[in-house]
Amino acid sequence: MTEEFHRIRRLPPYVFAEVNKAKAAARARGEDIIDLGMGNPDTPTPPHIVQKLVETVSDPRAHRYSVSRGIPGLRRALAGYYERRFNVKLDPETEVIATLGSKEGLANLASAITSPGDTILVPNPSYPIHQFGFIIAGASVRSIPATPDDEMLEALDRAVRHSVPKPTALIVNFPSNPTAYLADLDFYRKLVAFARKHEIWILSDLAYAEIYFGDKVPPSILEVPGAKDIAVEFTSLSKTYSMAGWRMGFAAGNPKLISALTRIKSYLDYGAFTPIQVAAVAALSGPQDCVAEIRDIYRKRRDVLIQGLHAAGWDVPSPEGSMFAWAPIPEQFRELGSVGFSKLLLREAGVAVAPGLGFGEHGEGFVRIGLVENTQRLRQACRSIRHFMTEHGGLAPTSQQAAPLPEEQPAHS
């Protein structure tokens, strides 16, 4: 009875726990922590969406069980979005399903299509559910490069030739979390051709489709002719409409995969609360000015953050999309690793970031910084980081600086 449960044993210790514990301890001491660690949108949901929720929630009939795969109007609205945005036609009955956020949809589809011992190809670094959804389902995960280029395609070719058993599915995520990479349609064409040739399913996470900052507009993999033969794509209202806590997402694409997800969800849930689904229809089908406004907010924050970090002596690439900057740890702190550096930055600068190791072993050497505070707070964070960098200069940090915070337990406990 003292043994851990089988599926829990397959999960590693939660990498973010140490930084979260330190953050909680600092706040308990009354310290002002600027939290850029979690991708939690802070902008308000647009008023017309909230108003539709309020209007619908007052109808007693809306409080009954809903529909697991999404009310018909919502599935039609998502199909309408794909046609407007990507020129992709979807059958709302067979090629669309509503999910409780894209994360839930990915995890449940992993359970639906995975047999124990299957090999799944996942970018590294990547959003944790991309890997652990399949690990929980009993699969073995093989890492591939996270960049949308020939390096990834060559790694896919090696994986097919050398993996036993042959890979059954591939995850892609562009604009990506945490690296902020964007893919173009030409890359997707190569990817689809490869997957069709080798009969590999593609699960595309497009949660950040509308958060981009230049002329490079993120495409959908479903724009590629023949993609629906092997691909399903997950989208979300969380970032596009600042509806993260509403938990509203979708899967669209291959009818067989949609059917598998529909069937497993029918055993697990009754769908999102009906007023939330109705409000989601208002989001997708109503005025879209709010999408551009939210995108512009993130663009301004991106510019303030990157300029401020550069002024502080921290050379961080400017992201083309997503709501994150993927920041290489400054040279003088590299030996600390991403967890140690994150804890040091929290303690001495009062700024919380996410250690790159939490996104896979190839995330080590980086931290993820979220654009989840207003520009005033981001400037404050950059001033604190500049002071922090000045204090440490070019000197290597000492073991004393890398020691655990007093309020924390050692990492191994």
Side-chain angles (χ1 to χ4, degrees), residues 94-105:
T94 62
E95 296 177 335
V96 176
I97 182 174
T99 61
L100 305 178
S102 55
K103 182 177 181 178
E104 174 270 324

Side-chain angles (χ1 to χ4, degrees), residues 119 121 152-163 165-170 189-202 226 229-230:
T119 300
L121 305 176
M152 178 186 278
L153 295 170
E154 289 164 6
L156 291 175
D157 182 63
R158 288 194 300 272
V160 168
R161 286 187 285 112
H162 300 298
S163 296
K166 189 191 84 172
T168 58
L170 160 69
R189 289 190 188 99
K190 295 175 183 176
L191 202 63
V192 168
F194 178 88
R196 292 183 70 187
K197 176 182 177 182
H198 295 285
E199 299 182 329
I200 296 173
W201 298 115
I202 297 178
D229 293 343
I230 44 84

Side-chain angles (χ1 to χ4, degrees), residues 17-240:
E18 285 190 64
V19 177
N20 289 344
K21 189 187 296 183
K23 185 167 56 180
R27 283 179 168 156
R29 294 192 298 268
E31 296 177 20
D32 178 24
I33 300 300
I34 302 174
D35 191 354
L36 309 179
M38 186 177 179
N40 195 1
D42 64 312
T43 54
T45 305
H48 71 280
I49 302 172
V50 176
Q51 183 54 44
K52 179 56 70 173
L53 174 73
V54 171
E55 176 189 316
T56 311
V57 83
S58 63
D59 183 349
R61 294 172 298 179
H63 291 235
R64 305 177 70 183
Y65 289 128
S66 192
V67 183
S68 179
R69 66 189 186 121
I71 60 176
L74 180 55
R75 286 181 279 115
R76 288 195 296 270
L78 192 278
Y81 163 77
Y82 260 82
E83 188 162 10
R84 291 192 312 272
R85 172 70 162 80
F86 304 113
N87 196 28
V88 170
K89 291 187 181 297
L90 295 169
D91 182 344
E93 292 301 315
T94 62
E95 296 177 335
V96 176
I97 182 174
T99 61
L100 305 178
S102 55
K103 182 177 181 178
E104 174 270 324
L106 278 158
N108 277 331
L109 184 57
S111 294
I113 67 174
T114 302
S115 299
D118 279 357
T119 300
I120 309 298
L121 305 176
V122 181
N124 191 338
S126 187
Y127 185 52
I129 197 63
H130 297 158
Q131 177 180 182
F132 292 112
F134 282 98
I135 288 175
I136 291 169
S140 297
V141 168
R142 177 165 179 157
S143 294
I144 57 171
T147 49
D149 55 20
D150 287 343
E151 185 184 7
M152 178 186 278
L153 295 170
E154 289 164 6
L156 291 175
D157 182 63
R158 288 194 300 272
V160 168
R161 286 187 285 112
H162 300 298
S163 296
V164 179
K166 189 191 84 172
T168 58
L170 160 69
I171 305 289
V172 291
N173 169 216
F174 303 109
S176 61
N177 175 9
T179 58
Y181 295 136
L182 268 65
D184 57 27
L185 206 51
D186 185 55
F187 173 77
Y188 280 145
R189 289 190 188 99
K190 295 175 183 176
L191 202 63
V192 168
F194 178 88
R196 292 183 70 187
K197 176 182 177 182
H198 295 285
E199 299 182 329
I200 296 173
W201 298 115
I202 297 178
L203 280 61
S204 169
D205 182 351
L206 195 62
Y208 296 90
E210 304 304 337
I211 310 298
Y212 57 91
F213 307 124
D215 297 331
K216 192 174 178 181
V217 180
S220 162
I221 197 170
L222 300 181
E223 292 180 56
V224 177
K228 281 198 285 187
D229 293 343
I230 44 84
V232 69
E233 189 157 67
F234 291 88
T235 54
S236 169
L237 302 190
S238 294
K239 280 72 180 183
T240 303

